[in-house]
Amino acid sequence: MEKTCIIYGSSTGTCQAIADKIAAKLGVGGADVYDVAKVTADTVAPYKNVLLGTSTWGAGELQDDWYDGLEKLKQADLSGKTVALFGCGDCESYGDTFCAAMGEIYDALKDSGAEFVGCVSTDGYTFDDSAAVVDGRFIGLALDDVNEPDKTDDRIAAWTESIKDNL
């Protein structure tokens, strides 16, 4: 596996815990796991693979730190890098915007020259709508660790296994 970093935005600690679980599954060391509030445009330069995670708030909005973080990543050279997305959402209370913040990250970076990997089937998910669904699939790993905590570890395991060959 090429050099990989994980960048997450977390307000309550859930997305950070997910980032740590993904890092453990992929063998990414703690020094390569970043809070998006602390990244600069140069943070991603030494990495071939960049995994980006966010929680979704309100009516499908990014976690607060991601607004500045996205601006910094848009200044970074992502061409030739592999990007995978993961997101946390609430499929019961916000089923109409489930994990939509992943869609915001994707839309902001899809023309960056990076290759996006890690799409996930919507099968087995309960939600009404999501900006994170492109061509009938989630553009990354969608998780609801509040309402479906029993599915989180299996979904992480399946997703990390599915992206390993691309990293």
Side-chain angles (χ1 to χ4, degrees):
M1 184 170 78
E2 300 276 345
K3 191 164 171 122
T4 301
C5 73
I6 300 174
I7 300 172
Y8 67 88
S10 189
S11 296
T12 64
T14 300
C15 198
Q16 179 179 3
I18 298 297
D20 290 340
K21 286 182 179 188
I22 291 169
K25 286 280 186 196
L26 293 175
V28 174
D32 298 313
V33 179
Y34 300 92
D35 182 332
V36 71
K38 299 175 182 168
V39 301
T40 67
D42 296 328
T43 301
V44 299
Y47 298 98
K48 169 72 172 121
N49 306 310
V50 181
L51 281 61
L52 306 173
T54 185
S55 48
T56 298
W57 290 91
E61 290 132 27
L62 286 168
Q63 186 271 342
D64 288 342
D65 298 323
W66 267 108
Y67 290 100
D68 287 339
L70 260 182
E71 291 307 312
K72 292 174 186 171
L73 285 178
K74 284 197 248 180
Q75 296 169 14
D77 181 8
L78 298 178
S79 59
K81 295 188 184 297
T82 300
V83 173
L85 304 174
F86 62 96
C88 304
D90 182 335
C91 67
E92 290 184 13
S93 298
Y94 297 96
D96 58 336
T97 59
F98 180 60
C99 291
M102 272 196 307
E104 284 201 43
I105 293 174
Y106 175 75
D107 286 342
L109 301 177
K110 68 183 177 185
D111 296 324
S112 66
E115 175 189 2
F116 283 81
V117 300
C119 291
V120 173
S121 172
T122 59
D123 293 345
Y125 286 88
T126 304
F127 68 101
D128 297 319
D129 195 21
S130 177
V133 174
V134 175
D135 296 329
R137 299 171 56 97
F138 285 111
I139 45 95
L141 174 62
L143 298 168
D144 183 345
D145 200 48
V146 173
N147 298 301
E148 300 178 336
D150 56 314
K151 297 179 180 181
T152 297
D153 288 342
D154 288 343
R155 285 177 172 165
I156 289 171
W159 183 71
T160 54
E161 191 59 37
S162 76
I163 65 172
K164 278 183 181 178
D165 288 344
N166 299 106
L167 303 180

